């Protein structure tokens, strides 16, 4: 079992640029693809960005494209979500998700407990 831990959330002013780490303390998760999701109050969980195991392939949702960047440092067992030009509508709990693939099949999946990001206007 891999425990993912998100941090870096809090109250941010609109236009701010926090960086959210997702760490796997004590475990190597360089074989996992990692995704960020978010869930705003009263809304369903929404995909934000993903990165493959090596960091060579990334993809962002249209809602954050051009503003958020996902990256990883496998030596530190950490994936990052750099958030720029934040808007009040980015307010949500942000979740880190790690997926272990075998080919195209999902072998296992892990979630963090989330970190709250609140953007004030």
């Amino acid at each position: 079992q891999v425990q993912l831990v998100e941090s870096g959330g809090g109250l941010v002013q609109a236009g701010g640029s926090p960086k959210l780490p997702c760490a796997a303390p004590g475990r190597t998760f360089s074989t996992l693809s990692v995704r960020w999701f978010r869930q705003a109050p009263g809304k369903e969980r929404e995909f934000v960005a993903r990165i493959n195991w090596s960091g060579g392939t990334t993809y962002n949702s249209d809602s954050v494209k051009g503003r958020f960047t996902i990256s990883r440092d496998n030596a530190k067992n950490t994936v990052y979500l750099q958030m720029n030009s934040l808007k009040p509508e980015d307010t949500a709990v942000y979740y880190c998700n790690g997926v272990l693939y075998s080919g195209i099949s999902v072998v296992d999946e892990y979630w963090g407990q989330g970190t709250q990001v609140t953007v004030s206007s």
Side-chain angles (χ1 to χ4, degrees):
Q1 188 73 13
V2 177
Q3 179 67 44
L4 303 182
V5 179
E6 307 95 333
S7 60
L11 180 62
V12 185
Q13 286 193 332
S17 300
K19 189 173 186 178
L20 306 184
C22 167
R27 293 293 301 269
T28 299
F29 78 142
S30 59
T31 57
L32 302 183
S33 293
V34 177
R35 300 177 291 183
W36 283 96
F37 289 81
R38 66 185 181 184
Q39 188 164 20
K43 295 188 176 181
E44 292 188 354
R45 193 167 294 189
E46 172 193 21
F47 165 79
V48 175
R50 69 169 183 256
I51 189 166
N52 74 331
W53 68 274
S54 68
T57 303
T58 63
Y59 180 80
N60 289 353
S61 68
D62 287 343
S63 61
V64 305
K65 198 164 291 184
R67 298 189 299 123
F68 292 9
T69 302
I70 188 170
S71 63
R72 70 190 299 160
D73 184 342
N74 285 339
K76 296 183 178 179
N77 287 340
T78 304
V79 169
Y80 302 96
L81 185 67
Q82 176 67 55
M83 309 164 69
N84 296 325
S85 303
L86 279 179
K87 307 173 182 179
E89 51 264 43
D90 294 317
T91 294
V93 178
Y94 283 75
Y95 297 92
C96 180
N97 166 254
V99 182
L100 178 63
Y101 288 97
S102 177
I104 62 172
S105 301
V106 174
V107 174
D108 215 337
E109 189 171 6
Y110 313 100
W111 288 91
Q113 294 196 331
T115 184
Q116 174 72 47
V117 175
T118 302
V119 184
S120 62
S121 57

